[in-house]
Amino acid sequence: EHLSGILSSKAERAYSTMMNADMDAVEAENQVELEEKTRLINQVLELQHTLEDLSARVDAVKEENLKLKSENQVLGQYIENLMSASSVFQTTDTKSKRK
């Protein structure tokens, strides 16, 4: 009976040691998963900020493009008006000169 008690006690300690090792392994695995999730979340947040920055830049470029198009139209109209007012760019009617 004493021997079985000793064996039982050793078995319990061995079982407890194994369980603690298993729990430590699970805890370490959970820690690795948590760190990976944290890393991925930070990466997603960084990408979101990058996307927001790029989107704002695209909007700014679109706005600048519209402004430049408008300025080009005004300049084009101005050049047309100058050309039509200048005799150098007037088309000549050769039939009317011959008369």
Side-chain angles (χ1 to χ4, degrees), residues 3-99:
L3 185 58
S4 79
I6 291 173
L7 289 176
S8 175
S9 176
K10 284 187 178 183
E12 285 176 14
R13 280 196 303 258
Y15 177 75
S16 176
T17 301
M18 285 189 332
M19 288 300 291
N20 285 340
D22 286 346
M23 287 173 64
D24 288 346
V26 167
E27 224 175 270
E29 189 176 318
N30 286 343
Q31 184 64 29
V32 167
E33 284 181 15
L34 181 62
E35 288 171 0
E36 179 67 9
K37 284 180 183 177
T38 301
R39 188 185 67 76
L40 288 172
I41 287 170
N42 287 335
Q43 191 175 9
V44 166
L45 290 173
E46 185 178 333
L47 289 171
Q48 281 180 332
H49 291 136
T50 301
L51 181 59
E52 288 170 359
D53 292 345
L54 288 172
S55 181
R57 178 72 179 126
V58 166
D59 290 343
V61 168
K62 281 182 180 179
E63 189 175 315
E64 181 69 14
N65 187 38
L66 287 173
K67 182 177 153 190
L68 291 172
K69 277 185 180 181
S70 175
E71 289 176 5
N72 282 344
Q73 286 177 339
V74 169
L75 288 172
Q77 188 63 48
Y78 178 72
I79 290 169
E80 275 184 42
N81 291 343
L82 284 176
M83 288 172 60
S84 66
S86 171
S87 60
V88 174
F89 297 104
Q90 294 295 320
T91 58
T92 56
D93 188 350
T94 54
K95 288 181 183 175
S96 64
K97 281 190 174 182
R98 288 184 183 167
K99 287 185 180 179

